[in-house]
């Protein structure tokens, strides 16, 4: 089978790999589509994602959809369309009961955080535990289902806030996660959704997905105290400071975008003077189930996908994905030519 393998900075190859065999309680998936995430880009372009360094060959990818190839239990028939929850959970700790995505000692597909690394989905065949598999409804195409994992992140961000019905929402950052967060906020009842970014091209995609307003912050400032909830999806320190200024008094800022594990200058005076709630978001728990339903109900969300390239063009796919002026979500297709 073909697999995409990263062995270090700017070192990526499509290789022939042995077919994995499922053990008891596992299912083998024939992967059709894998989305390229920010962590995948870091692994390829930098050889590391934050503190997690590629020290052995790593198959990237945790956003996937495909079809069942083999279920030794006989529960899922070959060809059943599916997506996958990419987490294996660790050990509960005090205060995290019922929140397994926060338990230490777990793993995530396509991650160098573990030794040995946890291999990802960018292979023609993937073996996962049966409880990680999510069967797709009949009205959800396999291609659109590749968005289930990143949409689940967006939905978890909203879960952290609670009911946003009737809220004025700002989404800071119009990359794929920002676009999906805007779509999720609209589906969860937000009254008005504004999307901000420094670039024009991502904002055009936000408008196409139904954002009520867009703000190009390189040309105009965000209004002060104008939003009930701000979902900060860029991870840029200036954007975090701007979010704290833009949210209303007693409003909520949700940090969705990942930030480097290092000190950064932030203006938190508005957080204090307005008694703003600042919430963190890390992956998700079970929101992937809601994501699957939402993708079936709202086919327009598929517009987040701007490029689908065959696996043999994986390097080019990563290069396109890095350029936010040219792309939204970039997807690698592993089923082409089968």
């Amino acid at each position: 089978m073909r697999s995409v393998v990263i062995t270090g900075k700017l070192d990526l190859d499509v290789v022939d790999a042995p077919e994995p065999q499922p053990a008891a309680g596992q299912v083998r998936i024939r992967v059709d589509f894998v989305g390229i995430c920010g962590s995948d880009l870091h692994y390829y372009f930098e050889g590391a994602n934050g503190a997690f360094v590629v020290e052995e060959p790593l198959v990237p990818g945790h956003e996937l959809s495909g079809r069942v190839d083999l279920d030794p239990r006989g529960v899922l028939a070959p060809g059943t369309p599916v997506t996958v929850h990419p987490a294996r959970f660790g050990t509960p700790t005090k205060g995290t009961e019922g929140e397994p995505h926060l338990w230490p000692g777990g793993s995530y597909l396509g991650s160098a955080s573990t030794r040995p690394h946890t291999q990802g989905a960018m292979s023609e065949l993937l073996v996962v535990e049966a409880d990680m598999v999510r069967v797709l409804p009949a009205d959800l195409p396999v291609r659109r289902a590749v968005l289930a994992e990143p949409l689940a992140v967006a939905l978890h961000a909203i879960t952290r806030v609670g009911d946003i019905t009737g809220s004025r929402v700002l989404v800071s950052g119009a990359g794929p996660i920002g676009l999906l967060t805007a779509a999720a906020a609209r589906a969860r009842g937000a009254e008005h959704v504004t999307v901000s970014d420094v670039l024009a091209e991502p904002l055009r995609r936000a408008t196409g997905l139904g954002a009520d307003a867009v703000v190009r912050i390189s040309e105009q400032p965000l209004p002060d105290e104008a939003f009930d909830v701000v979902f900060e999806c860029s991870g840029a320190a200036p954007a975090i400071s701007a979010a704290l200024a833009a949210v209303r008094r007693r409003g909520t800022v949700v940090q969705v975008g990942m930030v480097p594990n290092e000190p950064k200058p932030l203006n938190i005076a508005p957080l204090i003077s307005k008694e703003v709630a600042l919430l963190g978001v890390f992956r998700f728990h079970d929101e992937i189930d809601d994501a699957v339903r939402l993708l079936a109900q709202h086919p327009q969300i598929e517009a987040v996908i701007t490029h689908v390239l065959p696996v043999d063009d994986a390097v080019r796919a990563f290069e396109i994905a890095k350029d936010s002026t040219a792309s939204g979500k970039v997807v690698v297709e592993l089923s082409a030519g089968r």
Side-chain angles (χ1 to χ4, degrees), residues 11 17 26 43 63 98 215 217 219 222 272 291 323:
D11 191 350
Q26 294 183 322
Y43 284 132
E63 306 171 1
V215 176
I217 55 177
E219 297 180 349
L222 290 168
I272 299 166
D323 184 359

Side-chain angles (χ1 to χ4, degrees), residues 38 50 53 66 85 90 93 116 121 123 127 160 172 222 224 245 251 259 280 282 293 316 323:
V53 179
H85 192 311
T93 59
S123 294
V127 169
R160 292 282 285 132
S172 168
L222 290 168
D224 288 342
V259 300
F282 184 67
R293 287 190 288 269
R316 182 166 170 259
D323 184 359

Side-chain angles (χ1 to χ4, degrees), residues 1-3 18-21 28-31 67 69-70 120-127 334 338:
M1 69 170 186
R2 289 177 299 174
S3 293
E19 292 188 357
Q21 300 302 317
R28 188 167 68 191
I29 308 299
R30 187 165 291 277
V31 179
R67 305 169 195 277
D69 182 67
L70 176 62
M122 213 169 282
S123 294
E124 290 184 301
L125 294 170
L126 173 71
V127 169
L334 289 107
R338 285 185 194 153

Side-chain angles (χ1 to χ4, degrees), residues 24-326:
Q26 294 183 322
V27 176
R28 188 167 68 191
I29 308 299
R30 187 165 291 277
V31 179
D32 286 335
F33 301 100
V34 179
I36 297 176
C37 177
S39 61
D40 303 320
L41 294 176
H42 285 300
Y43 284 132
Y44 173 58
F45 286 102
E46 301 165 20
N49 180 33
F52 306 136
V53 179
V54 177
E55 297 180 347
E56 60 192 49
L58 173 69
V59 177
H62 53 260
E63 306 171 1
L64 72 138
S65 58
R67 305 169 195 277
V68 171
D69 182 67
L70 176 62
D71 182 356
R73 306 168 304 161
V75 174
L76 299 175
T80 301
V82 296
T83 187
V84 170
H85 192 311
R88 298 176 176 95
F89 299 123
T91 304
T93 59
K94 183 178 180 180
T96 65
E97 298 84 356
E99 303 292 344
H101 62 291
L102 296 177
W103 295 349
S107 64
Y108 216 69
L109 293 179
S111 174
S113 65
T114 58
R115 302 291 183 277
H117 297 338
T118 303
Q119 301 303 321
M122 213 169 282
S123 294
E124 290 184 301
L125 294 170
L126 173 71
V127 169
V128 296
E129 278 63 47
D131 62 2
M132 298 167 69
V133 178
R134 302 294 189 272
V135 175
L136 304 183
D139 52 351
L140 177 56
V142 172
R143 179 181 128 143
R144 192 187 312 153
V146 77
L147 296 173
E149 193 275 348
L151 181 58
V153 174
L155 289 168
H156 182 62
I158 296 171
T159 299
R160 292 282 285 132
V161 180
D163 186 7
I164 62 167
T165 302
S167 296
R168 299 165 297 162
V169 167
L170 170 67
V171 176
S172 168
I177 286 291
L179 295 176
L180 290 168
T181 300
R186 170 68 71 208
R188 285 284 180 89
E191 179 182 294
H192 190 280
V193 178
T194 298
V195 179
S196 64
D197 202 284
V198 297
L199 299 172
E201 292 84 357
L203 292 176
R204 280 196 285 270
R205 296 182 199 111
T207 300
L209 278 164
D212 296 295
V214 296
V215 176
R216 188 175 182 186
I217 55 177
S218 56
E219 297 180 349
Q220 65 182 110
L222 290 168
D224 288 342
E225 302 191 22
F227 303 98
D228 302 304
V229 182
V230 179
F231 296 99
E232 206 301 294
C233 299
S234 74
I240 300 171
S241 295
L244 292 170
V247 74
R248 65 165 169 81
R249 295 166 187 262
R250 284 283 180 94
T252 303
V253 173
V254 188
Q255 189 56 45
V256 185
M258 296 296 290
V259 300
N261 187 22
E262 60 189 45
K264 291 286 185 180
L266 294 175
N267 178 14
I268 65 169
L271 181 146
I272 299 166
S273 63
K274 294 189 293 184
E275 294 192 355
V276 172
L278 178 61
L279 303 177
V281 170
F282 184 67
R283 296 174 182 165
F284 55 91
H285 176 197
D286 56 7
E287 285 88 354
I288 196 166
D289 301 312
D290 289 338
V292 167
R293 287 190 288 269
L294 199 63
L295 287 167
Q297 295 165 1
H298 299 275
Q300 71 275 12
I301 296 177
E302 190 171 349
V304 172
I305 300 172
T306 58
H307 296 76
V308 179
L309 285 84
V311 64
D312 290 331
D313 288 338
V315 169
R316 182 166 170 259
F318 273 71
E319 291 170 347
I320 294 171
K322 186 181 182 183
D323 184 359
S324 59
T325 64

